Amino acid sequence: MLVLGLETSCDETGVALYHSERGLLADALFSQIDLHRVYGGVVPELASRDHVKRMLPLIRQVLDEAGCVANDIDAIAYTAGPGLVGALLVGASCAQAMAFAWGIPALGVHHMEGHLLAPMLEEKPPAFPFVALLVSGGHTQLVRVDGIGQYQLLGESLDDAAGEAFDKTAKLMGLPYPGGPEISRLAQSGTPGRFKFPRPMTDRPGLDFSFSGLKTFTLNTWQQCHAAGDGGEQTRCDIALAFQQAVVDTLTIKCRRALKQTGLNNLVIAGGVSANQALRQSLGQMLGEFKGEVFYARPVFCTDNGAMIAYAGCQRLLAGQHEDLSIKVQARWPMEQLQAL
Ligand code: KG4
Ligand code: ZN
């Protein structure tokens, strides 16, 4: 089965062709980062309009790259939520219109299920069951995964998501959007041990997270340094390192707890923050204790992309799932509501 995957939940237009036997045939992405950067974050209306502009050229591009024609496509998968409603509607209406015209099925995919299954596109995919740490711009969740659609939420952020904390922290230090890659770049030149930031909610039991206090702690530290005439580049790097280390340690402590609690020894990390090298390293080391492994997608498939939607959609379409002709998207959509395969 050849599936066309469309991702438009936020500020990336992602399109891919995934074949159930031949694997990923083509993948194309247009990132709107430059469009939103001047505003310091994503402007939803601009995002929707840009998805409209990019969608059809990207579909033509993946068809060319794969050496396929529209007639070869057996089904279409699109992100139906969670995300920005206007942006989601572009992918959903485009998918439904083409599915109707071509007489093929279309299926709305959960964006976080896409992220969660992205490591399945790698050479050595993880086997079920495993614990998944989903860390993106909008979500921080620990999930027990027993199969596709068999998700048990173990813990989640009570306020900011991990990626959001990176973005907000970067912004208050005057760094451009998105902040995650900026902070991790500056952290490489940071002085270890100059600042010690808190590891929120690690001193009490449970698997929930809270990152908003860390942002305030960073702001106070940055302002104090400034007031003391010490607001230069090195201080920014030192703060970036202390902040990143606090997030990485906090996530590692909670992942260790989740593995102990579930008795599982494999961990999948997915979503934009899973591209972070310090996080990958720390979790890899921790998994040694469990004689297990940590799995993640290649960097371009950690952040939003069409390939993960085409893959996740293909698994569900093969099981016979598809939508009727109505166009439905959801800004919020708990993953436990998904049907098990
Ligand atoms: O998964 P994603 O592309 O979009 C959402 O579904 O939200 O994640 C984007 C988030 C942003 O907050 C961005 O700052 C963060 O992932 N991010 C990173 C890194 N690369 C992207 N955070 C930390 N380190 C990185 N290397
Ligand atoms: Zn995402």
Side-chain angles (χ1 to χ4, degrees):
M1 177 187 272
L2 181 64
V3 178
L4 174 69
L6 309 179
E7 156 62 35
T8 64
S9 69
C10 190
D11 58 349
E12 254 114 22
T13 319
V15 178
L17 280 169
Y18 180 83
H19 191 277
S20 50
E21 276 90 49
R22 293 163 61 205
L24 187 65
L25 302 188
D27 159 65
L29 186 83
F30 183 86
S31 170
Q32 305 176 354
I33 283 174
D34 291 341
L35 180 71
H36 301 291
R37 189 165 266 161
V38 283
Y39 304 98
V42 178
V43 182
E45 179 61 22
L46 292 184
S48 316
R49 290 186 205 180
D50 205 62
H51 287 307
V52 174
K53 268 200 249 169
R54 308 293 167 188
M55 184 55 81
L56 295 181
L58 286 174
I59 293 173
R60 286 191 195 102
Q61 186 182 326
V62 293
L63 283 169
D64 282 351
E65 259 174 46
C68 294
V69 292
N71 215 13
D72 297 328
I73 299 171
D74 296 306
I76 306 178
Y78 59 93
T79 306
L84 303 170
V85 166
L88 290 166
L89 280 171
V90 178
S93 36
C94 190
Q96 287 285 19
M98 289 187 298
F100 177 67
W102 296 336
I104 56 175
L107 178 74
V109 171
H110 192 291
H111 181 76
M112 295 313 291
E113 179 171 74
H115 275 304
L116 169 62
L117 298 177
M120 298 291 182
L121 290 164
E122 299 307 317
E123 219 164 275
K124 215 180 117 206
F128 301 115
F130 52 76
V131 170
L133 172 69
L134 303 176
V135 270
S136 69
H139 292 78
T140 300
Q141 295 183 324
L142 271 166
V143 183
R144 182 194 162 105
V145 181
D146 286 289
I148 294 180
Q150 292 174 259
Y151 308 131
Q152 186 197 342
L153 184 67
L154 303 171
E156 64 184 332
S157 179
L158 305 177
D159 41 57
D160 292 350
E164 191 179 2
F166 268 98
D167 294 339
K168 288 179 173 172
T169 298
K171 195 172 180 175
L172 62 87
M173 289 203 292
L175 298 169
Y177 176 84
E182 290 293 325
I183 297 249
S184 68
R185 187 177 57 79
L186 291 190
Q188 285 173 0
S189 313
T191 317
R194 176 168 171 206
F195 297 108
K196 175 86 177 153
F197 282 28
R199 273 65 176 149
M201 290 182 73
T202 52
D203 56 353
R204 61 184 105 156
L207 293 170
D208 287 335
F209 305 88
S210 165
F211 289 112
S212 72
L214 206 47
K215 180 186 62 198
T216 314
F217 194 92
T218 313
L219 179 63
N220 292 338
T221 308
W222 177 239
Q223 284 176 339
Q224 278 161 17
C225 289
H226 247 278
D230 186 16
E233 193 58 15
Q234 189 56 49
T235 296
R236 240 193 329 210
C237 294
D238 297 345
I239 292 178
L241 177 63
F243 169 81
Q244 176 174 272
Q245 207 49 54
V247 174
V248 166
D249 279 358
T250 305
L251 293 173
T252 305
I253 291 167
K254 295 291 164 97
C255 285
R256 180 188 284 121
R257 248 183 232 175
L259 291 166
K260 278 198 178 140
Q261 184 179 311
T262 55
L264 300 176
N265 65 349
N266 279 328
L267 180 74
V268 163
I269 49 170
V273 183
S274 69
N276 187 280
Q277 290 299 334
L279 178 64
R280 289 175 172 205
Q281 214 175 359
S282 167
L283 291 173
Q285 234 165 32
M286 185 269 286
L287 260 294
E289 282 172 38
F290 293 87
K291 301 200 167 32
E293 254 183 279
V294 59
F295 297 85
Y296 35 75
R298 70 196 84 164
V300 284
F301 293 164
C302 288
T303 43
D304 293 348
N305 64 87
M308 66 184 196
I309 301 304
Y311 176 83
C314 184
Q315 308 315 308
R316 290 187 171 276
L317 285 154
L318 283 172
Q321 293 182 16
H322 61 86
E323 313 291 340
D324 57 24
L325 279 177
S326 56
I327 293 169
K328 277 179 291 196
V329 297
Q330 303 184 65
R332 292 177 165 276
W333 186 3
M335 235 178 27
E336 297 101 306
Q337 284 178 4
L338 293 176
Q339 219 177 310
L341 281 200

